[in-house]
Every structure is written in structure tokens, then in C-alpha cells.
Amino acid sequence: MANRRDSRIEPSFEGSQRAKSFDGFSVSEEDRVVPRTRKSAAKGRSAKAKSRGRGRDRNRRGLFGIATRLVYWCFVFCIWGGIAAAGIVVYYGAKMPAATTWSIPDRAPNIKIVSVDGGLIANRGASGGEAVSLHEMSPYIPEAVVAIEDRRFYSHFGVDPIGLARAMATNLIGGHFSQGGSTLTQQLAKNLFLTPDRTLERKVQEVLLALWLEHKHSKDQILEMYLNRVYFGSGAYGVEAASRRYFGKSARDVTLSEAALLAGLLKAPSKLSPARDPKAAEERAQLVLAAMREEGKISDKEYKTALSAPATRAPSYWTGSENYVADTVMDELPDLIGDVRGDIVINTTVDLNLQKLAEQSIRRLIDESGKKLNVSQGALVSIDDSGAVRAMVGGYDYSTSQFDRASEARRQPGSAFKPFVYMAALEAGRTPDSIRNDAPIKIGKWTPDNYGGKYYGKVTLATALAKSLNSVAAQLTMEVGPDAVVEAAHRMGIQSDLQANTSIALGTSEVTPLELTAAYVPFANGGYKPDIHFIQRITTANGKVLYENSGGSAPRVIKADIVGMMNSMMTGTVEVGTAKKAAFNWPSAGKTGTSQNSRDAWFVGYTANLTTGVWFGNDDGSPMKKVTGGALPAQAWHEFMVAAHEGVPVRPLPGTWKSTPSDAIVPDEIPSADASQAPPAPPAAVGQPAPVAQAPAPARQARTTRAAETVDAGGFDMPSDSGSTASIKHPVPPGDVGGPTKKRQTSILDILSGG
């Protein structure tokens, strides 16, 4: 027994094997008692399994709890967020006027400017186009706008939560702002009532106003208001202005492809404007067409046809020289009718056909000769005998420069100012046959040289003006006095300040092309100074007359005989003088002008029908390359006047003058050193001719039967013709002719060289 106990207690493997067969007993493996260690392990495994199951249950219960809590707190946050949003709405809404006072503001008035024959010159004002009802405009326009801007326009209530959510999702996925959630109603509310500030307050007010608009107006009314007020870029507000601006037609006549382009502009009017980026505008228009097809607004056939339409190439901003006229009209408008409170129509005096002819002539000459002659700008003004402006071109291209050189640029007129010198001399008793000695002359320290340094000796005043001789003009100025010249110029229509010094003879005081041309009109109409005007009539859209130019009586500013003498002399400028290139089959007269170093070149000429002034130069005052008034300006004048007089019965210039036969000419006295004591013509009131000042009484020179020395007219172009036979050095008038001079206001470098 002791051995068996010992053997059972024996923990070794051998003892265990011996126990299996001891005393004849055999023990099978199944009858063995499982050792304590294995049982414990099994129990451990079972406990772990149970623990894992309990853990999974706890995890499931934990996740469910978290989700439940998340939903709960989201609900709580939504409630508080709604309360906060409501508070914000109430707060910002309280800052707005009471809803009972809300009303649609009047649409900004449109100012329609038309030509003398009713052609459209421009639409101006804050709207830039007349209002067009929804059923009048092309049906493609509203369909295109709704398709690309607000597909759910006819189904939402002013604010589109679905569209807003879609836009937010698109922006989040794309990682940048690409879509907006504002409806057309919200956009209209913003345009009508609010500033474009991106603030929470403005957005809240926008929503409130959109809801109000939807409550007060139908969908079609909202869409119509939107289309007539929204900005389409390039200064165009409303579909009518945009259609005129980009396509040159009314919104009533817009095609499908054009409507798609207009609708595409609304995303970024300035950036996508075809005037700025035609390619971008066309690509955007294609997206609009695709949206229209997707919405079922157009068929596949219409879609393909529209895609094949050529891209629109709109000129930059407003273009065309008629816009210079429109700008001037807008400047004058407040003085005529005050504030514009409704749509108006302005009937101007401008002939649109003549306007286009003038623009084409200026641009063609600059295109052909601009680089070669270093000339970049030109201006033209044409005025009829009644003072009505028939055409005005203020520069080479309005789209690149809106500065009006015709009415705003003050430039030195050069010899184009000399007619006022000669007019003052005639009023002081001289005649076209009066003789002066064209030779080098010294006035104080100033020596007014002739163009090209050539002198012609004894010449009549008619010849001196035709050939634009500076020496003679300076002598006449000293004879009558600079004050008399200034008075004559102002009486004729020059409005700019003029320096009453000796150099005024050569046009050193600056004037605008408009006022210089206007000052020649009395020569063309027989001596009367009319009111220069652009506007004939202003009416409301319903035809009520707000203003009308009745014309009135123009005061006489020159005696009839003086007009006859001046026209006789200035006819020579066109026939044998410096402006032969201007001549055409109408009796005409005028004067060329060229400032120092050819910085300015002018020709102002007239018939009994029109007075037209032309200027060429550069904005920076840089010299042109030997461009004179008898060159480009005379050519442009000729082209314009030939076209303007086509089919018009020929009329002679007013006034008559019969020149004294050459063998009977008695030269006037050349003033002596103290001739400045002769009283100049005193100023005359506007509308009255200046009294004629009597010349000094010393004895006249003896009569001579020898004709005045002149150059062969057939070969004369400019006084700078080569050859010395016409250029003389003697006799030279006294150096102090005209007496002491006033202190000059300009340096010798500013003195014009004439011609």
C-alpha cells in the first residue's frame, strides 16, 4: 500500500507507467484522472471566450450609445442653430424699413440719343437701354437665362434650398467656389435694393427681400425686371442695351446663339465680355446651349445649328466716333432740362452718314501715313450756317481713348488764326489790295520768319494771306494792335483766353477745334454768329417736348463788305495758296495752320453750306514729320466735303469784292517807327461790327503801275518751294516797326512758323 501510495504520489512518467500494470490491474487512457493543470487551462479558455462576448456586447451598446448621443446633440444644436438663425434674421430684419414701405424703385431712366434722321447714336444713362417687355424680347433670352442661372426658377419660392445644397456640395467637392446658390429673385433683390457687399447682413436682407418680391410679383414680372436691369458688361445694363452693344440690334431680334452669349455673361460680365475675351464668351455660350438642351428648351437640331454660328467679335466698350457726340450731349443735358426723371429721346443735329464719312477719312489717313509721318490723332468738326453741328470726330478711336480732342483739346492754331488778324486790318481800313513788303522783320527781339525762310517782297494782303506769310501778319498785328485782333477773334466765336501780344499773329494762343471752326462760320453765312448747338429737341418716351432749339436770331458780327473781302482773300488759299489739295467743285475758302515743328496741323475751310475744321497731331505734343495744314488736314477736308455736298445745289460764298486792277493799286503807307500811336479798333459789343479805325494821315506813297511781286500760282504749293528767285533780303522794314511791344508770354521756341 505504501508502495502504491508512493507510486501514485510519484509525479514522474516512469512511475505512471508502472502504475498501469501493477498487481494485474490495467488502467485505460479514458479512465485516467485529468491532471489539475489541464482543467484549469480549459476553464481559462472558457472565461476568455465569455469575456470577449461580453466585450462585444459592450462595444455594440457603446457604439449605439454614441450614435444616439450624436443624433441627440445634433438635434439640440439644430434647435439652437435655428433659434440663433431666427435671431439673426430678426435682428437684421429689424434694421430694414417696414415691409409696408417697400416698393420697386424706378428703373434708372434711359437717354436715347438719335441723329437728325432718327438713327440711333447711343443709349446713355444708368440703364443704357430702353425697357423691353418679356413678350417683346426674343424668347430665347429668358429661356437661356433661366437654364443657366436658375433652373428651378418657376418652382421655388424665392430661395432655392435644393439649388443651394447642390451648389455647396459642388463647391466642397471641387475645393473652390464655382457655383452660387442665389436665385434670380435674390439677384434682382440685390440689384434693386442692396449694395454688392459680401456680408451676412446683406445676405439675410437679400433673402427677406426675395421672399417679398415673390409674394408681390409674378414670376414673369420678376424675370422681366431682372432682364431689364442686370449688368451685361461693357457698360450695358439690360438686354436691350447689351443687344445693341454686342450685336448692333434690338433684343427683339436676338438669335439663339446670341441669347446664349448674353446669358453666359451674367456669371462674370466684365471677364466674359466678347469685347474683352471672345473665346471665353463663346465657350460660356456653349455651356448655356447645353443647359438649354438638357432642360428641353431647344432641340438637338437647334443646338447643333447654334454651335455652328460664328463667334461674336464685339468691339471694345463703346466704339464709333458718334460717341464723342453722345458725350458732349450728356454734358449739355443738365443745363437744358435739369435732372432726368424718366426715359427721354434726344434729337441731335448730327448727320450719322456725315459722321461716319468723317471718321473714315481721319482713320484712313492715319492708318496710311501715321507711322511714316509720326501722327497718331486727328479731329474734325463740321457746322452748318445755322450753328448746327453736323459731324464731330474727337479722335482716331473712341474705344481706346474717350478724350474728345475736338471740344476739349486746346492746341496752337498756327496760321489758321490769321484770318482774325486780317479781319481786324480790314476793319481798320485796309483792303485785300493793300500792299505790304514781305521781308525779314524784327519786332523787339522777335523775328517772325516765314515758313522756309522765303520772302516775296511787295505783295497784296490777299496774296500774303493765301501764301500765309508770317512777316505780313506780324506787321498787320502791330498796325492795328494785338487787342484789336483779340477782340475780333472773340467777337467771331473764340472762347478761350487769348494773349494780346505780337505773337498772336501767328496763332500762339491755344484754342479747340470746335471753337476755331465755329469762329469761321460767320465768314460762311454772311457775317452772323449763330448759337453752336448739338441738340435740336428733347422729348419724353411718349413724345412730350421738354426742350426745343428754336434757333432765334443770330447777331451780325461782321459787316457785309468785310465778309466779301475776307471770302475773296481766303478763296485764294484754296485756289492758289497753301490749301490747293482741298479744292473741289464748290466755291470754297479757308486757311491752313501749322504750329512750330509741325506739332499741330490744321485746315479750316467752308462753303456756303458747311464750315469744317480738321486737326492732326499727337496727344503728347511730339512733332510730326513735316506735316502741314495743306497736307493731311486739307486731304481729309476734301474727302469729307466732296461727300457732304454730293447732290447739293452749288451756291456762291456770301459777299462780293472786286479787286482793283493791278495797274491801279496804290500801296498803303507802311507804318513808321511811331505808327503804334495809331488807335486800334475799339472793342465792339457782340452783334455789332467793330468801328473802322482810320489809318494815320501821313502822305501816301506815289502811285505805281507795277503789279505786286508774286510767285507763279501754277507752280506754288507751299512757301518753302525750292528756289531763290522769290526769296529776297531787302528792303527790310524798320526794326522797331509798330513801336514798343508788350512783354511776351511765350518764348521764341513757342512762336509759330506759319503756313
mmCIF file of all heavy atoms in Angstrom, residues 7-8 14-22 25-27:
data_model
loop_
_atom_site.group_PDB
_atom_site.id
_atom_site.type_symbol
_atom_site.label_atom_id
_atom_site.label_comp_id
_atom_site.label_asym_id
_atom_site.label_seq_id
_atom_site.Cartn_x
_atom_site.Cartn_y
_atom_site.Cartn_z
ATOM 1 N N SER A 7 3.813 5.258 -5.226
ATOM 2 C CA SER A 7 3.819 5.320 -6.696
ATOM 3 C C SER A 7 2.780 6.311 -7.228
ATOM 4 O O SER A 7 2.968 6.936 -8.235
ATOM 5 C CB SER A 7 3.570 3.922 -7.285
ATOM 6 O OG SER A 7 2.263 3.488 -6.945
ATOM 7 N N ARG A 8 1.655 6.506 -6.538
ATOM 8 C CA ARG A 8 0.638 7.486 -7.022
ATOM 9 C C ARG A 8 1.132 8.903 -6.813
ATOM 10 O O ARG A 8 0.852 9.782 -7.589
ATOM 11 C CB ARG A 8 -0.676 7.308 -6.253
ATOM 12 C CG ARG A 8 -1.449 6.091 -6.727
ATOM 13 C CD ARG A 8 -2.880 6.191 -6.244
ATOM 14 N NE ARG A 8 -2.942 6.229 -4.801
ATOM 15 C CZ ARG A 8 -3.086 5.150 -4.035
ATOM 16 N NH1 ARG A 8 -3.096 3.920 -4.592
ATOM 17 N NH2 ARG A 8 -3.173 5.257 -2.714
ATOM 18 N N GLU A 14 7.760 7.573 -15.528
ATOM 19 C CA GLU A 14 8.035 6.167 -15.312
ATOM 20 C C GLU A 14 7.119 5.605 -14.244
ATOM 21 O O GLU A 14 6.583 4.494 -14.346
ATOM 22 C CB GLU A 14 9.497 5.953 -14.896
ATOM 23 C CG GLU A 14 10.496 6.274 -15.993
ATOM 24 C CD GLU A 14 10.776 7.755 -16.074
ATOM 25 O OE1 GLU A 14 10.171 8.540 -15.298
ATOM 26 O OE2 GLU A 14 11.587 8.154 -16.941
ATOM 27 N N GLY A 15 6.944 6.248 -13.146
ATOM 28 C CA GLY A 15 6.062 5.809 -12.076
ATOM 29 C C GLY A 15 4.656 5.653 -12.591
ATOM 30 O O GLY A 15 3.935 4.748 -12.201
ATOM 31 N N SER A 16 4.252 6.531 -13.431
ATOM 32 C CA SER A 16 2.903 6.476 -14.004
ATOM 33 C C SER A 16 2.752 5.249 -14.864
ATOM 34 O O SER A 16 1.726 4.577 -14.840
ATOM 35 C CB SER A 16 2.653 7.739 -14.837
ATOM 36 O OG SER A 16 1.419 7.678 -15.461
ATOM 37 N N GLN A 17 3.776 4.867 -15.611
ATOM 38 C CA GLN A 17 3.691 3.695 -16.467
ATOM 39 C C GLN A 17 3.662 2.423 -15.627
ATOM 40 O O GLN A 17 2.960 1.465 -15.955
ATOM 41 C CB GLN A 17 4.909 3.652 -17.409
ATOM 42 C CG GLN A 17 4.880 4.781 -18.456
ATOM 43 C CD GLN A 17 3.817 4.561 -19.495
ATOM 44 O OE1 GLN A 17 2.768 3.930 -19.242
ATOM 45 N NE2 GLN A 17 4.074 5.046 -20.675
ATOM 46 N N ARG A 18 4.413 2.443 -14.555
ATOM 47 C CA ARG A 18 4.410 1.268 -13.699
ATOM 48 C C ARG A 18 3.055 1.098 -13.057
ATOM 49 O O ARG A 18 2.561 -0.017 -12.877
ATOM 50 C CB ARG A 18 5.493 1.419 -12.604
ATOM 51 C CG ARG A 18 6.884 1.200 -13.127
ATOM 52 C CD ARG A 18 7.857 1.005 -11.963
ATOM 53 N NE ARG A 18 7.874 2.164 -11.085
ATOM 54 C CZ ARG A 18 8.718 3.184 -11.206
ATOM 55 N NH1 ARG A 18 9.604 3.169 -12.199
ATOM 56 N NH2 ARG A 18 8.679 4.157 -10.331
ATOM 57 N N ALA A 19 2.386 2.131 -12.741
ATOM 58 C CA ALA A 19 1.083 2.028 -12.082
ATOM 59 C C ALA A 19 0.053 1.402 -13.002
ATOM 60 O O ALA A 19 -0.897 0.788 -12.551
ATOM 61 C CB ALA A 19 0.621 3.397 -11.635
ATOM 62 N N LYS A 20 0.253 1.452 -14.259
ATOM 63 C CA LYS A 20 -0.732 0.921 -15.198
ATOM 64 C C LYS A 20 -0.811 -0.608 -15.126
ATOM 65 O O LYS A 20 -1.856 -1.185 -15.347
ATOM 66 C CB LYS A 20 -0.371 1.359 -16.626
ATOM 67 C CG LYS A 20 -0.598 2.829 -16.876
ATOM 68 C CD LYS A 20 -0.248 3.183 -18.308
ATOM 69 C CE LYS A 20 -0.418 4.645 -18.554
ATOM 70 N NZ LYS A 20 -0.074 5.008 -19.922
ATOM 71 N N SER A 21 0.225 -1.232 -14.803
ATOM 72 C CA SER A 21 0.221 -2.712 -14.808
ATOM 73 C C SER A 21 0.514 -3.317 -13.438
ATOM 74 O O SER A 21 0.832 -4.485 -13.305
ATOM 75 C CB SER A 21 1.274 -3.201 -15.818
ATOM 76 O OG SER A 21 2.524 -2.674 -15.495
ATOM 77 N N PHE A 22 0.424 -2.565 -12.388
ATOM 78 C CA PHE A 22 0.759 -3.061 -11.047
ATOM 79 C C PHE A 22 -0.328 -3.993 -10.559
ATOM 80 O O PHE A 22 -1.504 -3.639 -10.635
ATOM 81 C CB PHE A 22 0.918 -1.851 -10.096
ATOM 82 C CG PHE A 22 1.383 -2.243 -8.743
ATOM 83 C CD1 PHE A 22 2.708 -2.594 -8.522
ATOM 84 C CD2 PHE A 22 0.476 -2.336 -7.702
ATOM 85 C CE1 PHE A 22 3.127 -2.985 -7.250
ATOM 86 C CE2 PHE A 22 0.939 -2.723 -6.444
ATOM 87 C CZ PHE A 22 2.257 -3.035 -6.211
ATOM 88 N N PHE A 25 -3.598 -5.022 -12.448
ATOM 89 C CA PHE A 25 -4.620 -4.020 -12.873
ATOM 90 C C PHE A 25 -4.140 -3.297 -14.131
ATOM 91 O O PHE A 25 -2.961 -3.053 -14.276
ATOM 92 C CB PHE A 25 -4.878 -2.972 -11.756
ATOM 93 C CG PHE A 25 -5.558 -3.571 -10.568
ATOM 94 C CD1 PHE A 25 -4.834 -3.959 -9.421
ATOM 95 C CD2 PHE A 25 -6.932 -3.772 -10.597
ATOM 96 C CE1 PHE A 25 -5.488 -4.504 -8.331
ATOM 97 C CE2 PHE A 25 -7.547 -4.323 -9.467
ATOM 98 C CZ PHE A 25 -6.849 -4.693 -8.337
ATOM 99 N N SER A 26 -5.074 -3.089 -14.936
ATOM 100 C CA SER A 26 -4.734 -2.261 -16.122
ATOM 101 C C SER A 26 -5.678 -1.069 -16.154
ATOM 102 O O SER A 26 -6.891 -1.210 -15.950
ATOM 103 C CB SER A 26 -4.856 -3.063 -17.420
ATOM 104 O OG SER A 26 -6.195 -3.438 -17.643
ATOM 105 N N VAL A 27 -5.145 0.110 -16.456
ATOM 106 C CA VAL A 27 -5.946 1.353 -16.490
ATOM 107 C C VAL A 27 -5.859 1.930 -17.893
ATOM 108 O O VAL A 27 -4.765 2.140 -18.413
ATOM 109 C CB VAL A 27 -5.415 2.378 -15.477
ATOM 110 C CG1 VAL A 27 -6.266 3.638 -15.538
ATOM 111 C CG2 VAL A 27 -5.435 1.799 -14.108
#
